[in-house]
Every structure is written in C-alpha cells, then in structure tokens.
Amino acid sequence: MALLTPQQALSLERKFDIIVIVAAFTGTVAGYHIHQMLTVGDWDFWLDWKDRRWWVTLTPILLITFPAATQYFMWEKMRLPIGATFCVMTLHFGQWMNRVFNFYYWAWFPVNFTAPGLMIPSAIFLDVTLMMTGSYMFTALFGGMGWSLLFYPANWTWLAPFHLAYKHPSGPLMSIADLMGMEYVRSATPEYIRIVERGTLRTFGRDVTPVSSFFAGFISGIIYLWWVWMGKVISKPVWISRT
C-alpha cells in the first residue's frame, strides 16, 4: 500500500475539515431551527405576536439551550469562545431561508411581517462573558442576564415603527403590527392572540418590558447551567472495547 506524500495528506486533511464544518453547520441549522419552531414558534413567526411581554420572555429562555451546550464543547475541546455566536448565526440562516422561501415565496406573507428576532448581540455578549471569566457560573449569572436584556434593544430599531398607533376607520385604536395581523389572517389563529397590548403582565405597571426581560434573564441563567451539563454529557468520549 502506497503511503501518501505530505502534500497529499495535507490536502486530504483540509477536505476532511471542510466536510466536518459543513456537516456541523448543516446539523446545527436543522436542530436549532427545529427547536426554535417547536418551542418559540408563532411568537417569533408573526409581527403582531412580537409583543412586549411573552416574546421577550419566552424567546431568550428557550433559545439559550443550544448555545450553552455548544459553548461547552467549543470552549473545553477547542478553546474557541464562539459557541453561542456560531449557534445563533446558524439559527438566523435557517430562519431567513424559511421566511423567504416558505413564508414569502410559498404563502406570500410580507417579509417584514414574518422577520425573525435578532439575537446576534446577545450571543456575542454570552461568548465574551465566558471568554473573560472562564467560568460557567459567572457566565450563567451575568451572561445569561445580558443574553436576555440585550434581546429587546437589539430588535427595537426595526420593531419600533410597527408599534405606532393607528386609528382604524371602523373605530378601534390599534398598532400597525396589530393592523397587519388583522389584514393577513392566518388559518387557525385565535382572535385574541392578534391583540398586541393585552395580557396579565400589565399588572406590573405601564412598561412591562424590563420586568419581562429581567425575569427571562434569571431563568436563562438556570437553563444555561442545565444545558452546559448536557453539553458535557454529550461531548464525553465513549470508548468501544474490541472484546
């Protein structure tokens, strides 16, 4: 059997690395995007569901799972503080492919009505916290809180115009997002869900976004530690005996 030359071995190694990177990217896109659709789901699908209570509460809590597990693997095995950013970038890739080809070209919903929430600043903060502290506990306390608190400000730039008030000719006062929800009716959508400014968290006061964000940050820290442990279990090598 002929041995490979150094140039051939290097070329083969690079090709193998490309295959691993593409497989890891594709697998993360599929897994993380399915997780997002099954958990956050409609709260991130539709513009009129992006209210200032449940969207800012559910989304950070449910989406810190994959970044936490991936952070452990990349930090412990490769010393790369990019686990959360890598996961979120794959999620955004899958989300935009879904929004453009499924929601827009297939069902003809406007892109701005189905645009996904932006989580890149939150992911960068989570990775930087782990890189600076080197501690999963501090990352859960401070990084998890920053992961949640940065979510709504990162989306406010593009979301604010849709919160402007609109007086409908028939009488009711609603937001532009609410009006779009009334015009683009989805099948099997409960009528009360389309009303943006109604919910039990209004009892906390006029502006409930900080309350929701801080609560989400507290829970995100707990979920982070849980999924770091899951990442440790999943990435543990298993040796198979020949006997």
Side-chain angles (χ1 to χ4, degrees):
M1 181 177 179
L3 297 176
L4 297 176
T5 64
Q7 292 78 10
Q8 291 175 331
L10 181 60
S11 176
L12 184 62
E13 181 180 358
R14 289 177 177 175
K15 292 178 180 179
F16 181 78
D17 290 342
I18 293 175
I19 294 175
V20 171
I21 293 174
V22 172
F25 181 83
T26 306
T28 308
V29 168
Y32 200 15
H33 189 210
I34 291 175
H35 170 79
Q36 185 269 345
M37 289 192 297
L38 294 179
T39 54
V40 181
D42 290 290
W43 294 109
D44 198 59
F45 283 157
W46 313 109
L47 180 66
D48 57 333
W49 284 44
K50 291 180 173 66
D51 59 5
R52 56 186 190 175
R53 297 174 304 278
W54 300 114
W55 183 55
V56 297
T57 306
L58 291 175
T59 307
I61 294 175
L62 296 172
L63 293 188
I64 201 173
T65 51
F66 273 60
T70 307
Q71 258 196 347
Y72 178 86
F73 175 78
M74 288 191 170
W75 181 250
E76 294 294 333
K77 306 300 180 181
M78 296 178 284
R79 267 303 182 261
L80 293 176
I82 60 172
T85 306
F86 172 78
C87 276
V88 168
M89 293 300 293
T90 60
L91 174 64
H92 285 346
F93 176 81
Q95 283 180 317
W96 277 108
M97 292 299 101
N98 182 34
R99 299 309 198 269
V100 172
F101 292 102
N102 183 17
F103 283 81
Y104 180 64
Y105 285 117
W106 185 266
W108 294 110
F109 285 109
V111 175
N112 59 359
F113 186 60
T114 59
L118 178 66
M119 299 208 68
I120 296 177
S122 300
I124 293 176
F125 184 84
L126 196 65
D127 282 333
V128 170
T129 304
L130 178 62
M131 180 181 64
M132 297 297 293
T133 63
S135 170
Y136 296 110
M137 182 61 67
F138 280 104
T139 305
L141 292 175
F142 301 105
M145 186 62 67
W147 164 274
S148 175
L149 293 180
L150 287 174
F151 175 62
Y152 197 71
N155 290 274
W156 180 247
T157 303
W158 71 270
L159 194 61
F162 299 101
H163 281 186
L164 294 176
Y166 173 80
K167 184 68 167 59
H168 197 274
S170 62
L173 180 66
M174 61 182 67
S175 67
I176 295 178
D178 213 11
L179 175 65
M180 295 179 65
M182 293 295 183
E183 295 294 332
Y184 294 92
V185 180
R186 287 82 64 183
S187 60
T189 301
E191 184 69 22
Y192 69 90
I193 287 296
R194 301 194 191 112
I195 302 176
V196 177
E197 292 297 327
R198 187 174 297 178
T200 55
L201 285 180
R202 299 290 288 170
T203 56
F204 284 108
R206 179 182 177 184
D207 194 355
V208 297
T209 304
V211 177
S212 302
S213 297
F214 274 102
F215 173 77
F218 173 74
I219 302 299
S220 294
I222 300 175
I223 301 298
Y224 176 85
L225 291 176
W226 180 21
W227 277 77
V228 163
W229 174 80
M230 292 186 64
K232 180 179 181 180
V233 173
I234 295 173
S235 61
K236 185 178 180 180
V238 178
W239 304 100
I240 302 177
S241 175
R242 293 183 177 179
T243 58

